Every structure is written in structure tokens, then in C-alpha cells.
Amino acid sequence: MTTPFLTIATAKQAELTIKKSRFICSLQRVSSEQAAQQFIKEVQAANRKANHNCFAYLVGDQDQIQRESDNGEPSGTAGVPILESLQMAKLHNVVAVVTRYFGGIKLGAGGLIRAYSNVTTAAVHQAGIVQRIKQLQIAVTVSYRQHDPLLYYIKEHQLTVSNEEYGVNVTCNVLIDEATADQTIAHLQNRFNHQLKIQKMGTRFHEVPYKINN
């Protein structure tokens, strides 16, 4: 069984105030180290008056690129906790920048670690997680009379329609799990008494919501 590829569903920002210090985590999905560094620069530019803009990012299907920075905080109190929070959520292709506006009260090493970790985790929960899965796209051609029953079948079995084309008949492009494609097609044909025209159209990646357990 392969490890699922997880990433955030959407860019998000979360904020925590701890002993008058504001910790703001900006979370963004990226596909390259260059994109991660560009996002970091943008957050830094938008928060020039902040005391710190600490960050971490993971890039690649196997997290081939991993970087983190304390940006002036005591060594190991910011970048590593941010990175570990992303790793705990098993995320890939994501960058997190935590901006700190110092409130005048020192938190100590332990307090900083908890603050940077907690605000990153909060941002991840707000962003949501999706799993990237490889699916087979099939073109299912039906008569207009069969169209509504087909859509009901698709909804009943939690399948995804990528698009529809209307002509003499209706063609629905449906995404199904590649591993069980033949069984799904056979079941679909049996349900509609072999009156469907089904054509395999190749594979593509599709993202589905992934429940965060912790």
C-alpha cells in the first residue's frame, strides 16, 4: 500500500495571541522551491514591521526539498516546530510562514516552540487537507432518458463527473478509481442492462477531501 499524497486544500492564514505577541501563520500550496521562496518574500514584504518571519517548507512527492528558518528567534524554537507541524500532518508541497509581532513579554524556548507549532497546526486545520489520487476517466454515453438515472448512480456511488457533453445523446466524463476500474465498469453496465457506451479516456490526478484525525 502506497503512502497517500496529502496537501492543503486551500491557502489559509491563522493567528494566535500569546502573552501579547501575535503569531500569524500564512500557509500556501507550492509546486517548487522557487515558488516557496517567492511566497516567503511576499509575506516578509507585507510584514516589514514584524519582529520575525520564520518559515518552513516541504517540496516534492517524497519531500526531497525541506527547508526551515528561525529568522532571528533562538535556534530551534521556530523553523523546526513549523516544519514538524507540517510533517505531522503528512503534507507535501506546502510552505508556512509564521510572522511574529513581539508583545514585550518573553516566552522562553518552550513557549516559542509551542506557539510556532500551535499556530501552524491551526492554519493546517483551517486550510483543510486533500488527498491526490490517480483515477481513470471514462466517457459514459447515455440517452437523455437514462441521464437522470445515471447521475443518481454516480451520486449514490460517490463518483465524480468532470464534465458533460450534450448532443444526440449525453456523454458524461466520470472519474473512477483506477485499481477497481474494471469492476466499476462491469457493475455500471449491469445496472443499465448493457445499454451504455463506455470508453476509457486515460488517467489523471484528482483531489478528494481528507479527514484530519487529530
Side-chain angles (χ1 to χ4, degrees):
M1 184 176 180
T2 58
T3 302
F5 182 96
L6 306 179
T7 190
I8 57 172
T10 184
K12 189 61 67 174
Q13 201 173 75
E15 180 174 340
L16 294 178
T17 300
I18 302 171
K19 293 184 178 180
K20 299 184 179 181
S21 280
R22 293 173 61 207
F23 293 85
I24 307 164
C25 180
S26 302
L27 204 60
Q28 175 72 43
R29 194 165 158 177
V30 293
S31 57
S32 67
E33 184 169 23
Q34 182 181 7
Q37 292 174 345
Q38 179 60 35
F39 179 72
I40 293 166
K41 290 178 182 178
E42 290 172 1
V43 175
Q44 290 173 335
N47 295 276
R48 294 186 186 279
K49 295 183 179 181
N51 299 89
H52 307 279
N53 284 289
C54 309
F55 66 81
Y57 56 85
L58 300 161
V59 178
D61 290 2
Q62 303 297 323
D63 299 332
Q64 294 92 328
I65 301 173
Q66 301 184 30
R67 301 283 186 270
E68 51 82 16
S69 170
D70 295 312
N71 192 233
E73 292 281 33
S75 179
T77 62
V80 170
I82 297 169
L83 182 65
E84 289 180 344
S85 294
L86 300 179
Q87 291 171 330
M88 284 289 290
K90 300 180 181 178
L91 299 178
H92 305 280
N93 287 0
V94 63
V95 55
V97 184
V98 178
T99 301
R100 183 190 183 191
Y101 288 90
F102 183 53
I105 301 174
K106 293 185 177 181
L107 302 181
L112 288 174
I113 290 171
R114 286 190 295 273
Y116 281 101
S117 176
N118 289 345
V119 73
T120 304
T121 299
V124 170
H125 278 263
Q126 290 182 30
I129 294 178
V130 291
Q131 179 180 353
R132 188 183 72 181
I133 58 177
K134 193 175 184 181
Q135 292 192 307
L136 176 69
Q137 181 169 277
I138 58 173
V140 183
T141 302
V142 297
S143 66
Y144 281 88
R145 179 177 57 84
Q146 295 172 317
H147 184 225
D148 284 345
L150 175 63
L151 293 181
Y152 179 81
Y153 176 95
I154 289 169
K155 181 178 180 181
E156 181 183 31
H157 290 81
Q158 298 180 329
L159 303 178
T160 300
V161 176
S162 58
N163 70 290
E164 293 184 305
E165 298 174 5
Y166 298 89
V168 176
N169 294 303
V170 183
T171 298
C172 297
N173 290 317
V174 183
L175 298 174
I176 62 177
D177 289 344
E178 187 180 31
T180 58
D182 289 338
Q183 296 96 309
T184 300
I185 291 172
H187 187 269
L188 190 55
Q189 286 285 25
N190 288 335
R191 170 70 78 87
F192 287 85
N193 298 315
H194 295 271
Q195 296 177 3
L196 306 178
K197 179 183 176 182
I198 299 177
Q199 182 180 1
K200 293 181 180 181
M201 303 298 290
T203 58
R204 56 172 280 187
F205 285 108
H206 180 59
E207 294 177 354
V208 296
Y210 186 87
K211 184 178 180 182
I212 303 174
N213 294 320
N214 57 350

